[in-house]
Amino acid sequence: MSKFKKKTKAETNIPTSALPDIIFMLLFFFMVTTVLREQTILVEQKIPQASQLQKIQKKTLISYLYIGKPKNPSLYGSEPRLQANDVLINTSDIVLWVNQQKDALSEAERDQIWISLKADRDVKMGPISDIQFELREADARKLMYASVGKVENN
């Protein structure tokens, strides 16, 4: 009769050779699937339509201003308000905001900054003229108006 011997000591090592590969796969997965946080729009936006549009190639030079009636009228009132980044600002704060946006760019790109004005179609021309004047004071002369429509390819 043959006797079977029972092993008295079981091996408890966990193989960790594939662990770095798994960590890098997870890292790449989250890098690819994560969406960077965009601005929270605090004003209403019904963008007007346009017939002739051009697409800007270098989007890092674009800073956005939004103007429209606040989405929360009990907190901000019912008059059109100006939003820069995630905060509502006054027209008098535009020069400071533009300078902050220029400071975030490299020295060579500071004079190439574009301001995209996303104005609600129901906003009167008076507040938009005030914004244009303040942008001229801040030496931000490249202004574009956001619209809805088909982009022309040149």
Side-chain angles (χ1 to χ4, degrees):
M1 248 201 249
S2 70
K3 290 186 179 179
F4 292 100
K5 290 187 178 182
K6 186 177 176 185
K7 288 187 179 179
T8 57
K9 191 171 184 181
E11 206 172 299
T12 59
N13 292 340
I14 298 174
T16 59
S17 61
L19 197 56
D21 294 335
I22 294 170
I23 290 172
F24 281 116
M25 282 191 324
L26 285 172
L27 176 68
F28 284 124
F29 171 77
F30 286 115
M31 285 174 53
V32 170
T33 59
T34 302
V35 177
L36 295 176
R37 181 179 167 275
E38 300 210 6
Q39 295 177 3
T40 303
I41 307 299
L42 302 173
V43 295
E44 292 180 9
Q45 293 287 289
K46 290 180 270 178
I47 305 295
Q49 289 189 330
S51 58
Q52 296 181 354
L53 300 174
Q54 288 183 338
K55 195 170 191 171
I56 302 295
Q57 298 301 324
K58 196 163 184 183
K59 295 189 191 265
T60 57
L61 298 176
I62 302 174
S63 296
Y64 297 92
L65 284 175
Y66 305 92
I67 185 168
K69 291 182 181 177
K71 289 183 178 177
N72 188 351
S74 62
L75 189 60
Y76 300 114
S78 61
E79 290 298 311
R81 297 289 306 264
L82 179 64
Q83 177 182 346
N85 300 333
D86 280 336
V87 294
L88 296 175
I89 63 171
N90 294 320
T91 310
S92 58
D93 300 327
I94 291 177
V95 175
L96 176 64
W97 176 77
V98 168
N99 289 330
Q100 289 172 347
Q101 297 300 307
K102 285 182 178 181
D103 289 342
L105 297 173
S106 69
E107 187 92 21
E109 294 176 329
R110 287 184 184 167
D111 60 338
Q112 299 174 11
I113 189 170
W114 282 83
I115 305 298
S116 175
L117 184 61
K118 291 189 173 188
D120 186 75
R121 70 176 90 167
D122 296 331
V123 173
K124 304 285 186 219
M125 194 58 197
I128 293 176
S129 294
D130 296 341
I131 292 169
Q132 291 172 338
F133 177 77
E134 290 296 323
L135 288 171
R136 280 192 297 269
E137 291 292 314
D139 198 29
R141 308 218 181 245
K142 295 180 181 179
L143 177 64
M144 63 182 158
Y145 297 94
S147 64
V148 177
K150 190 175 182 180
V151 176
E152 302 273 329
N153 289 333
N154 292 339

